[in-house]
Amino acid sequence: MSEITDFDALRGAMAENSEQPEGPARNARAEELLTAAEKLGVPLAVIEALGHQLKVYNYSSEKGKMFVPFSRLLRMWDERPEDFDEYETHSLHWVFKWVSAGMLDQPHIPLASIEKWLGEMEHRYRLAGHSERAVRSAEHSVAAHVGDVARAERAYAAWLAADRDSMADCHACELHGQGWWQAEQGRDAEALELWRPVLEGEYTCAHEPHTALASSLVPLLRLGRLEEARAHHLRGFRLVRAMESMRGAYAEHVEFCALTGNEARGLELLAERPAYFTDDGHPQSKLDFMSVVALLMDRLTGLGLGEGRVPGPAGREWTARELAAHARGEALALAARFDERNGTAHVSERARARMARQPLAERLPLGVRSVRPVPSPAPPTVVLPEAPGTGQPDLPALLAEARRLSDTLRPNAVEAWAAAAEAAVGVELDPRDRAEMADHEAMSLGPGGTELFERAAGLYAEAGDPGEALAARARGAYVRALAGDVDGAVATVSGLYDEILALYAADGTGIRQTASVVMSRARILTRRAHGGGGDGAVVAEAEAAVREVLALVGGRTGEDVRLAARVAEAQAMLGELAGLAGDLETAAELFARGAAAFVAAGLPWFAVEYEARLASLAHHLGDMAETERALRAALEHGGSQLEAPGRAQLHLQLAEVVGGRGEAVEAARHALEAAHWADEAGESATLGAWARQQLGGFLLRQGRWAEAAEVLESALPDLTAETHGDGAVVQTQWWLGDCLSELGEHRAAAERRLQAAEIARHWPEQHDHATLAHLAGESLGQAGLTAEADRAYARAGDLWRDLGNVQGLVRSLRARAWLASQAPDGLVEARGLMADAFRECEAARETADGEESRQQYVAELGDTHRQFGDLLARSISGAADDAGRAVFEEALSQLAFSAEVFASLGEGYVHSRTAAELTAGWLEVELGRLADARARARAVLAACDGHDAAEADDGGRSTVRARRAEAEQLLRVAAEN
């Protein structure tokens, strides 16, 4: 660290320290700089160093330290005000507000001292000629803090009535404070309306919209505006994550997680900031933080997770139950200190109310990965009716309900039979009852139920129902096929098939039992067809078996839901077989018919599988409208019966289809649902990563950069080349780089783009590699990493050359020229790079294949002349001497060439031509050629005439308006001079 020997070096060091992250290291450096300033013997140096120290303390967790430097500054002002320059005089009065607010946040400072300080602030502002607006705002803060609502309302009205002047907080901060009061009084809609200009970016500052986004979360939830709440959380948390001084806003994001079923994300947030549990420099924000920690821990404990490990204060391990007690104790102790100081119970009441808040949404999916830390929902339980006067389960009622559910193919029939079986333990049952219990238990076991089906068959036979016995054995045969023994299943079911037909012909059984065996045979033969590699004879045999089902049951279903289901399933099975035979159009038609039959039978949940298959076929056939219809139908028909993995798949497919027709907003909603259900299904790292990747892309399309970045960053750790393909990894890095670039995080954007380029470097086709290298150059340049940016552009240029992409090559050369021009004596290198760009354009123009290509290269040449002229003009400070004038003349010549080139290309390039003309016009003014400047301005106005109507979009029309406005300004300036 170099020694500071003069005022300029001190100012440079303070500016450098201001750019460092908030925290103790920055504060310690400010203390060192104050010591250095005191050695210079310059009073203003000490004043500025004290102001710097006060500022960094205020924007850190050590806010309590700012009172000492402020007191010293105030004493210096009182003793020698002439030592303060205009800026430091303003700053001294400005930080009165920080100090008054800071006193409120420190419970050891008596309320009488705070009131005295408020009077001092009012007196000094009056002497300095300032409005009382800031004073009334500070008074409102005091009144609101102690719970004096009447005084707070009076101060609020006086605050708004007073004139805004240079001492008033910025618009963003004022609106945040005003909205906070409205929300505090339960006027959520009014609060959000006040915050709107801040939330929309009209007013911003160092801590806004950070705090407004955080403060808006609970009001939005209370108003049911969940989509906005989700967006504000993702945007806002990204802003406060790295800012140590924003513990209060950070706490509001933790609170949001606790109130929306996102407890796991809340724990992640706590783990990111372990120091927040113990930092004591700002008691008010610690009170806020510990209150929401208690809220989150109580929520986890209420979910049965009180013994789970959670992040907490360093030095020991914590369970949720233990941390809840600790955090509540800390919060209430702090609140009690404030209340003792204030003489009211207001702070404790607020803290208790906050800790007692109940969830405002059962689960609000966020899109980022965060698996809910609760066990999977238990299967629906069956309410056991009790026999009158016994207190015991009513077994006959249970059996009747189970038969009703199974006869009508209702969901949970298997569970109902299990409940009946549990109630029947130790009870003597007739063989029929025991047969049905065994049969349904076997159904619940899948491939493991073969032996139970045999047992059920024996009981059916014992009960005198040989047809149902054959049906149970047929079901067992199908289970064997599912387990892989298809040939054995075929052999078994063939004998059963012959037996049931003979029995049915002799009136020994009914159509339902016969249809069950015939359907089992059809299922087994269809399964064999799937494994037969499309063998025509095997498929034909299966199709004949399915058609036997239709021949047996068709027209005879009556009110029997089971038989109607056989017809519907048979139609769908014919669809499967048509697909195996390669007749996809017929397969789609039959799947649609089967799904419709299930719905008509009142069994929509059975239609889900076939609507999903239909969607896949329609997508393959290019019928996107039918694909979308089928996917929506599958989701609708599945309802609450649809399991999480299937729901996730359907939403993800629908997101792709809807997004493909440009509906990014709806597509994002489906991708969000897909991510949520994938997490619920335990597939976060596979299907969930896909969904998040898609969600991030759809948010990016909407320009929701911060939300998209959060989601994409959440997806990246799970995306792997092995599981998702390296294309998905590259696309995600690419999108993330675009988001970070839009957010001004240029170094991080460059890292993402370079990582993506490194993967794409190994691809056979190198266009993506070139594009990513070029984009990385842009980000590195914007991050001020000139040498690294030049290397990236050079890499891109080589790739563009190999690809034969002249436009990409020329643009990389121009970008390198701009970078070179920033270096001392870099103009020579910049000229050389621009000369290379000219040669590439001209060579491409001469060898262009067709007029359209030639025009593209001519346009690139025109743009190169324009950029070279602009570069030359910016390379010097003005035309004050001969050297400067010569460079301006050269720049003007390049811009004139550019305008001529674009003019030769016709009306399609009017915007490019007028841009060059206007830049040339301003140079004419610098060179004193006012008549020429006016001529160029008039030429631009003439070119703009009629183009408002001719432009096809708002962007084109706004460009015309901007050109016209600039030309009119140029005319005025040229006339005035």
Side-chain angles (χ1 to χ4, degrees), residues 659-841:
R661 58 178 173 81
E663 298 292 335
V665 174
E666 185 184 354
R669 287 201 296 270
H670 287 295
L672 177 66
E673 287 292 323
H676 166 69
W677 289 109
D679 288 344
E680 292 291 300
E683 297 185 19
S684 291
T686 50
L687 185 58
W690 271 118
R692 274 180 270 282
Q693 194 248 14
Q694 290 296 301
L695 173 59
F698 292 130
L699 291 170
L700 180 146
R701 280 201 218 173
Q702 298 172 56
R704 295 160 67 176
W705 315 113
E707 296 167 66
E710 281 291 302
V711 170
L712 292 168
E713 286 173 346
S714 175
L716 262 177
D718 291 326
L719 289 168
T720 65
E722 295 75 18
T723 302
H724 305 91
D726 55 8
V729 179
V730 167
Q731 182 65 81
T732 306
Q733 296 275 26
W734 192 329
W735 280 340
L736 183 52
D738 290 348
C739 292
L740 295 171
S741 179
E742 292 288 345
L743 293 169
E745 300 175 35
H746 299 300
R747 185 186 290 264
E751 291 174 3
R752 296 301 184 182
R753 288 167 167 176
L754 287 170
Q755 289 167 1
E758 185 59 24
I759 298 172
R761 182 170 67 88
H762 303 286
W763 293 355
E765 209 291 315
Q766 289 289 284
H767 186 273
D768 285 344
H769 182 197
T771 303
L772 286 162
H774 199 113
L775 290 170
E778 286 183 13
S779 294
L780 290 164
Q782 289 170 312
L785 302 171
T786 305
E788 293 88 341
D790 184 71
R791 287 196 293 272
Y793 278 128
R795 174 183 176 186
D798 291 341
L799 291 165
W800 291 130
R801 190 187 302 278
D802 292 343
L803 288 165
N805 189 319
V806 175
Q807 288 174 302
L809 172 58
V810 168
R811 290 171 187 180
S812 68
L813 289 167
R814 291 199 306 247
R816 294 181 65 197
W818 278 102
L819 290 171
S821 71
Q822 297 171 19
D825 303 320
L827 192 54
V828 173
E829 183 182 355
R831 286 181 185 278
L833 289 163
M834 282 294 188
D836 290 343
F838 285 130
R839 281 193 293 273
E840 294 293 343
C841 287

Side-chain angles (χ1 to χ4, degrees), residues 392-413:
Q392 299 298 313
D394 187 343
L395 184 57
L398 286 171
L399 289 169
E401 176 63 7
R403 287 196 177 95
R404 184 188 70 81
L405 292 175
S406 57
D407 283 348
T408 55
L409 299 178
R410 298 295 103 178
N412 306 325

